[in-house]
Every structure is written in structure tokens, then in C-alpha cells.
Amino acid sequence: MLSFLNSRFLRFSGLLLALLWLAGPALAAEKPGKHPHKSKKDEVVTITTTQGVIRLVLFDDTPLHKANFLQKAKSGFYDGTSFHRIIDNFMIQGGDINSKDADPSNDGMGRANEGTVPAELGPGHKHEYGAVAAARMGGPAGTPSSISQFYLVENHGGAHFLDGQYTVFGQVIQGLDVIDKIAKLPKDERDHPTVDAKMTMKVEKLKRKKISQLYGFKYE
């Protein structure tokens, strides 16, 4: 059980744990309605990297994280950011605005007063292979999430020791092999890749039925 959680992972149990961005005020967002009408369409987020293309969908029952991520993806915020922290057999992390500049030493530190997103742990989504989850500073379950940094679970057996601790708000539906490639890039002692791991994002709205046909994703 979690055989990959050896001493190396204990060293990084601060994962998202020393995580790499500065706390700020909570994200101002409207509270979701009690039972919103489920649309027949959904957004597919495409992340393009030098290593290949990753596609993901976001969960309706984590509405604050979904709305925040989509807004940033559509606005171009993530274009030019990088996967700045990679741990093979664990996860790849990205989304910090600092990774756009030429100084790798500040990657993951975030910006002062950049805001947070309230945790959305209720739905019980798990850290499966390809899960999309929000980074945050260390602290108990319920600590707000980073407003921009996220990670993709690369361990094929999942990272279930994080279940209920960090908000899982989406799932990769294509490009799991690309996550594996990025996780295996050469890196320095800070787990920062020493080769290009930058990304661009685009968002496309498709019928849910079409998404299921194209990518095999099953909506509940």
C-alpha cells in the first residue's frame, strides 16, 4: 500500500506542503446555487507542452476551483508558465506566475496578496492517476487553495495519502503519457526541471456526449 511513499516521499511530504506560494486574501466568488441546471456542454482544457498535449475536464461539484481555473486558462494567465516542480512516481506541479520570468529560484513562491480559493473537499474526489488538484500551503484539511498553482498526479496507483487534504477538482482525459514524460525530465536538487517545461492553455466547449465519445470520459 503506497509502496512508493519511501524516504524520498517522506522528505517531500511537505509537498504541496512547503507549497510554494504566499498566502493571500480569499478569492471573492459567488456562492453556487443549490441545484444548478447541469449543462449539456462542458469545457475541455488543453495544455500544450514541448513534451506533448494534455487534456482535462473540471468537476461541477468543485465550482469555485472550476470557475477560477477556467477564467485563468481563458485569459492567458497560464501561457508561458511552467511545470516548475516534478517528482517522478508522484506528481508534476505548475501554474505559478513567477515561472514566466528568467529566474528559476522564485518558481513556486507565488506573489504576495495574490489570493486563495476556499477548499472544496466535500465531493470526495480521489487522487487517482491524472487527478487535477490545487496546491496550497501546509496546514490542516480545509486550508484554502492557491489561486493559480495546481498539480497533476503522475503515480499510476494514485497519491491517496493526500485524499481529503487537497482539493481535487478535475481529471486528465488525454495525455497521461505526457505527464509521465514531464515527470521524468532531468531536474536539479529543488526538483525543478532543467529543460523546458512551459505550457500554453486553451479552452474549448463541447457537448458532454462528444467529450465521452472522443476521450472515453464517463460523466456521472
Side-chain angles (χ1 to χ4, degrees), residues 5 50 155 165 189 194 209:
L5 191 58
T50 304
N155 188 279
Q165 303 296 313
E189 66 280 357
T194 55
K209 183 177 180 180

Side-chain angles (χ1 to χ4, degrees), residues 29 31 34-35 40 59 71 76 78 101 104 124 128 138 147 150-151 156 177 190-192 197-198 200 204 213:
K31 294 182 178 179
K34 292 182 179 179
H35 298 288
K40 292 183 179 180
F59 300 141
Q71 184 275 324
Y78 287 118
D101 65 28
E128 308 289 355
I147 201 168
F150 64 96
Y151 59 99
H156 292 206
D177 60 319
R190 296 175 57 242
D191 293 316
H192 190 290
K198 289 192 179 293
T200 59
E204 182 180 15
Q213 291 173 342

Side-chain angles (χ1 to χ4, degrees), residues 16-25 84 93 96 98 106-117 134-138 143-150 166:
L16 311 159
L17 312 162
L19 240 166
L20 309 176
W21 53 273
L22 302 176
H84 62 267
Q93 181 181 335
D96 180 24
N98 290 340
N106 65 10
D107 290 1
M109 298 302 295
R111 300 282 176 86
N113 302 316
E114 65 183 359
T116 57
V117 184
R136 63 168 173 79
M137 292 187 73
T143 298
S145 303
S146 166
I147 201 168
S148 66
Q149 293 190 49
F150 64 96
Y166 296 82

Side-chain angles (χ1 to χ4, degrees), residues 25 49 127 209:
T49 72
H127 282 77
K209 183 177 180 180

Side-chain angles (χ1 to χ4, degrees), residues 31-43:
K31 294 182 178 179
K34 292 182 179 179
H35 298 288
H37 176 70
K38 182 171 286 189
S39 171
K40 292 183 179 180
K41 292 186 176 182
D42 198 8
E43 290 90 352

Side-chain angles (χ1 to χ4, degrees), residues 88-105:
D88 193 17
N89 291 320
F90 188 11
M91 60 90 213
I92 61 174
Q93 181 181 335
D96 180 24
I97 193 171
N98 290 340
S99 63
K100 291 186 178 186
D101 65 28
D103 179 10
S105 68

